[in-house]
Amino acid sequence: MIEFARGPLLRFALLFMALGLLRNLVLAASGFARILLRTDDPRISWRKILEGARGRVFPSPGATHRRGYGYLSLILHVGLVVTPIFLAGHVLIVRRNLGIGWPSLPAAAADVLAAATVLSALAMIASRLSWKTLRQLTGASDIFFLALLATVFASGFMVSHPGANVLGYPAAMLLHLLAADLVFILVPVTRLAHVSLIPAAHALGDIGWKLAPDGGEAVARALGKEKQPI
Amino acid sequence: MAAKPAPPSPYPYYTEPFDLKDRPARFLKAFAAILQNTNYGPVLDAFARISLHCGRCAETCQVHQATNATPDNPCNRSNLLLKVYRRYFTMSGMLKARLGFGWNLSDADIDEMAEAYYRCTACRRCRTVCPVGIDHGLVTHIARWVLAEIGIVPKALVLAVREQLEGKSGNTSGIPAPALKDTLEFLEQEFVDNYGVKVPFPVDADGAEHVFFPAVSDYLLEPDVLMGVAGVMHASGGSWTIGTGYFDGINYGLFYSDRMLSRIVRKELAEVKRLHGKKILIGECGHASRVAREFGPIFGGGPTEAPPVVNIMEYTYDAFRRGALKLKKGVIPERTTYHDPCNIVRSGWIVEQPREILKHICADFVEMTPNRKDNYCCGGGSGTVSIDEMRAFRTGTQGLRKAKQIRETGATLVVSPCANCKKQIREVCEDNGLKNVRVVGLHDLVLKAIEFPESSRVKKEGPAPAGA
């Protein structure tokens, strides 16, 4: 089972994620093209869009209630991106299979990052359940995604630390692989797609106001209202 | 004769009677037509895929801060429309429905949207913090249009637009052109009587550099603002005119229908063309400025065809900076603060210009906190200010944060360079115990500070002095 999870299933999951993300990018690019071709004012200030996006990615200084959730999210994202890419074990696997490699994190740093990722995910779940503003927004899927990510990192930590492994190596490894495979499959088709769509969404907030000059009249025609008085 | 009672409405605002039959089907038909014929499809598609529900938008929304209620959470509000999009206009939504995991749009869902999207002031403050870049103001804009196509739109907005596009006066305040001319003559006389200067309000001047469009209600309610504008144009030697063919900067189409929005913008552009004007000069009005600048090029044949747009505060600051306009220093003794209208500040367009003027003419200028791009909406944005039946909610909930901001400054003068914000903040002050606060426009104060050229002084008539 472990061999299946790290062999064919992992390859399928990675391919599915790559193709899915590519599809998302193609859809976003075609959306951009559609908007810019249909509007009479295709001027775009990329500088303004980038400045706006930069200001939004970090926790808001204007937030009046709590900034904690924003910082937890920041830690989670740093852990999600840096740990799997620079973990020595992962770099080794890539080097063996693809013949390419890059520097890896010292083991202690990887441990700290993995632990921080798990703890931030758990704290985010706790915040979602305890803070009214977030509870209003929280559905089962929000908890599921955070729990799934925490599972990937916690099981990975256990795999590399036999002393902390309460499940035993085979179970921890299988859990790690299956959870990671599931994340890869879910990335392009769920809100985890923000990994590829964030730049597009930031730009679309501005570009979305580039209206189609005849849009209003075309809608009226489609609804048979073009001759109706207001 | 007694006025007819307003038609019953299930919402916090009056509507004109609308068809209750098959609303979900008609809503979906209108939504489909909008997605097919506009540029909103890709926008909603991206937003629907990546909404993360992190709550930052709720933290920054003055309505949610006041109520802490689920419908006022911007992410939740946007999700009302986005879930319809996911269910009916995406492959996965349709597939889920086929497999028995779908849901059907109901009248209750439509009613929820009809209420929620008019509790939002579309100030777009939440957009400045959304980590994935969702523009909830844009979602509100689209949702309101879909609702309007099935007849759900506040009566106050419809009446204004109807008069503007189909009424005799052709403007939202119902001012006929002869009445406009009378008003302008009266204001010219006010200049003579009160300031001893002759300042013209040029009407229908052909080929003027600037064609002026204020919020038309200023002609009824804000004479000092208009006199300030005329004073600036005169003292700085500016070329401008007011067209009697069309003279209203207001565009409530922005708040409920792109079709109305485009028709009103085109009306403004046609007047500039008729007068062979070179630029559009917008008065103290946030949404009028944004509409002309952002949508003029779209509905006017492109950026090279449409005339450039200048806001009067930009003009005044530029004239002051160049030395073409002399303003007396520190002539306003009261403590003064400044409210940033959302439609001109969020984009970073008009931020420092009015402040530079105020710092010069006011002896005690203080900032609200937060300010500039982070400023809070007055609470009457996106046309809600004209919905009088919502006043208690507007001033008690939507405008509560603004009242607190003003109170904390200790100011007795609030400069609000937008007709809608002025009305709203006056009502906010009245309803929140800020009785000693006066709400004015920037050009009210500029008027008191202008150093008019000697050539414009009116010589007093009377007996010649002895020995002359």
Side-chain angles (χ1 to χ4, degrees):
Chain A
M1 189 67 180
I2 289 178
E3 288 311 311
F4 174 72
R6 73 173 155 207
L9 185 58
L10 178 61
R11 281 196 291 276
F12 168 77
L14 287 171
L15 185 66
F16 186 85
M17 180 175 75
L19 291 176
L21 291 179
L22 187 66
R23 175 182 172 270
N24 286 345
L25 289 175
V26 169
L27 282 177
S30 67
F32 271 66
R34 177 180 151 186
I35 291 174
L36 296 178
L37 287 171
R38 275 170 99 157
T39 186
D40 275 357
D41 183 11
R43 295 172 299 172
I44 299 172
S45 171
W46 289 108
R47 189 179 60 82
K48 211 178 95 183
I49 290 171
L50 285 172
E51 275 175 10
R54 194 185 57 198
R56 289 177 215 125
V57 167
F58 296 101
S60 159
T64 46
H65 296 158
R66 294 187 195 186
R67 294 185 209 170
Y69 192 84
Y71 289 119
L72 288 174
S73 170
L74 193 61
I75 294 167
L76 178 82
H77 282 85
V78 170
L80 287 176
V81 173
V82 175
T83 319
I85 294 175
F86 294 102
L87 188 78
H90 290 177
V91 175
L92 191 64
I93 292 169
V94 173
R95 188 171 289 137
R96 273 188 197 151
N97 286 283
L98 301 176
I100 55 167
W102 49 83
S104 58
L105 282 172
D111 286 349
V112 169
L113 268 176
T117 309
V118 173
L119 291 174
S120 58
L122 295 177
M124 286 169 78
I125 292 174
S127 293
R128 282 198 166 275
L129 297 175
S130 60
W131 177 22
K132 190 180 172 190
T133 299
L134 271 176
R135 214 167 47 233
Q136 291 169 348
L137 292 163
T138 300
S141 63
D142 297 293
I143 304 293
F144 171 75
F145 287 130
L146 287 168
L148 180 63
L149 293 171
T151 303
V152 174
F153 279 72
S155 56
F157 188 87
M158 282 193 267
V159 165
S160 56
H161 294 81
N165 191 346
V166 292
L167 298 175
Y169 180 82
M173 182 52 120
L174 186 60
L175 185 62
H176 180 63
L177 288 167
L178 289 177
D181 290 344
L182 185 57
V183 169
F184 293 143
I185 290 168
L186 291 177
V187 160
V189 292
T190 63
R191 74 183 57 136
L192 298 179
H194 70 270
V195 298
S196 65
L197 284 175
I198 272 195
H202 277 285
L204 282 166
D206 281 330
I207 297 170
W209 290 100
K210 299 281 181 189
L211 310 185
D214 61 342
E217 297 304 327
V219 168
R221 279 194 299 277
L223 298 174
K225 292 179 169 182
E226 66 270 40
K227 296 213 170 99
Q228 270 183 21
I230 296 166
Chain B
M1 201 172 84
K4 272 176 74 174
S9 163
Y11 312 120
Y13 46 84
Y14 300 140
T15 58
E16 295 194 322
F18 56 83
D19 190 358
L20 286 164
K21 202 176 156 197
D22 298 330
R23 280 200 305 168
R26 288 190 296 115
F27 183 96
L28 293 172
K29 190 180 172 193
F31 199 177
I34 287 171
L35 289 172
Q36 196 168 2
N37 293 288
T38 70
N39 289 339
Y40 296 137
V43 179
L44 291 182
D45 201 66
F47 290 175
R49 282 164 183 271
I50 65 165
S51 178
L52 292 180
H53 306 163
C54 71
R56 270 203 229 168
C57 53
E59 285 182 326
T60 56
C61 170
Q62 85 272 2
V63 182
H64 187 268
Q65 284 172 10
T67 65
N68 206 12
T70 305
D72 298 322
N73 199 318
C75 240
N76 269 340
R77 190 192 309 112
S78 290
N79 195 46
L80 298 175
L81 187 73
L82 294 178
K83 74 179 182 185
V84 180
Y85 177 81
R86 284 190 207 100
R87 160 65 181 85
Y88 290 97
F89 300 103
T90 64
M91 291 282 277
S92 60
M94 288 187 272
L95 191 64
K96 273 186 201 165
R98 289 254 171 175
L99 296 172
F101 298 105
W103 57 279
N104 291 323
L105 181 71
S106 66
D107 281 312
D109 294 320
I110 292 172
D111 287 343
E112 194 179 0
M113 282 188 264
E115 178 154 2
Y117 286 115
Y118 281 95
R119 290 169 74 95
C120 169
T121 63
C123 72
R124 300 168 81 207
R125 188 169 195 265
C126 50
R127 199 204 165 211
T128 64
V129 298
C130 179
V132 292
I134 292 178
D135 186 342
H136 296 291
L138 180 53
V139 178
T140 291
H141 176 87
I142 300 166
R144 286 184 177 192
W145 188 11
V146 184
L147 289 164
E149 293 299 345
I150 61 166
I152 302 174
V153 52
K155 191 175 178 180
L157 300 184
V158 180
L159 292 181
V161 168
R162 185 180 292 145
E163 182 60 26
Q164 194 170 20
L165 290 174
E166 294 175 352
K168 273 187 185 169
S169 70
N171 60 75
T172 50
S173 288
I175 302 174
L180 170 78
K181 285 183 184 170
D182 285 349
T183 302
L184 298 179
E185 281 172 20
F186 171 77
L187 294 179
E188 285 178 355
Q189 190 57 43
E190 285 285 290
F191 262 119
V192 174
D193 295 345
N194 297 336
Y195 295 87
V197 288
K198 186 167 171 55
V199 174
F201 283 81
V203 172
D204 287 336
D206 195 72
E209 187 175 357
H210 300 95
V211 180
F212 182 57
F213 298 93
V216 74
S217 52
D218 282 3
Y219 288 114
L220 299 173
L221 303 169
E222 305 292 342
D224 283 2
V225 171
L226 294 171
M227 289 171 70
V229 170
V232 165
M233 297 308 289
H234 177 68
S236 64
S239 158
W240 72 304
T241 191
I242 298 166
T244 55
Y246 184 66
F247 43 90
D248 189 358
I250 287 176
N251 191 328
Y252 282 177
L254 176 67
F255 306 138
Y256 78 90
S257 159
D258 282 6
R259 186 181 180 211
M260 303 308 153
L261 169 74
S262 64
R263 287 173 67 182
I264 297 166
V265 169
R266 287 186 173 118
K267 209 172 159 181
E268 193 169 81
L269 294 170
E271 180 67 350
V272 178
K273 198 170 179 183
R274 180 183 77 84
L275 293 166
H276 305 106
K278 294 174 184 63
K279 292 177 187 166
I280 293 176
L281 179 66
I282 303 288
E284 292 193 6
C285 186
H287 87 274
S289 303
R290 178 181 164 213
V291 161
R293 187 176 189 240
E294 203 169 312
F295 305 120
I298 290 172
F299 300 125
T304 53
E305 293 294 314
V309 174
V310 181
N311 175 282
I312 185 63
M313 290 188 284
E314 258 185 317
Y315 178 93
T316 301
Y317 173 65
D318 184 56
F320 173 60
R321 195 178 47 84
R322 285 186 289 112
L325 175 70
K326 304 271 188 256
L327 297 174
K328 294 172 209 156
K329 196 167 169 58
V331 289
I332 309 297
E334 298 105 308
R335 174 168 284 196
T336 307
T337 190
Y338 177 76
H339 163 74
D340 290 278
C342 304
N343 278 306
I344 52 177
V345 78
R346 297 267 186 258
S347 64
W349 177 18
I350 307 234
V351 185
E352 300 303 333
Q353 301 94 323
R355 289 181 163 80
E356 291 302 318
I357 296 167
L358 288 168
K359 282 178 201 164
H360 180 80
I361 64 176
C362 297
D364 185 10
F365 174 71
V366 290
E367 290 281 7
M368 292 184 196
T369 306
N371 54 57
R372 297 177 168 84
K373 282 187 188 182
D374 288 333
N375 194 28
Y376 281 105
C377 173
C378 61
S382 74
T384 57
V385 68
S386 50
I387 308 173
D388 283 331
E389 59 274 24
M390 282 181 68
R391 174 163 174 163
F393 180 73
R394 256 197 299 113
T395 60
T397 301
Q398 290 173 313
L400 197 61
R401 176 62 61 178
K402 184 53 61 181
K404 187 167 182 283
Q405 276 191 295
I406 294 169
R407 188 175 289 115
E408 285 171 354
T409 64
T412 51
L413 265 185
V414 177
V415 174
S416 174
C418 168
N420 284 349
C421 300
K422 269 191 205 89
K423 176 178 185 281
Q424 165 71 3
I425 295 176
R426 278 176 190 143
E427 291 177 357
V428 162
C429 290
E430 276 172 34
D431 296 355
N432 287 281
L434 293 161
K435 305 285 182 204
N436 61 338
V437 173
R438 205 155 52 89
V439 183
V440 296
L442 177 70
H443 286 79
D444 284 70
L445 304 187
V446 167
L447 175 64
K448 295 173 174 61
I450 298 173
E451 289 183 22
F452 287 102
E454 275 309 307
S455 56
S456 50
R457 295 274 160 214
V458 177
K459 290 188 179 68
K460 284 188 179 160
E461 288 175 9

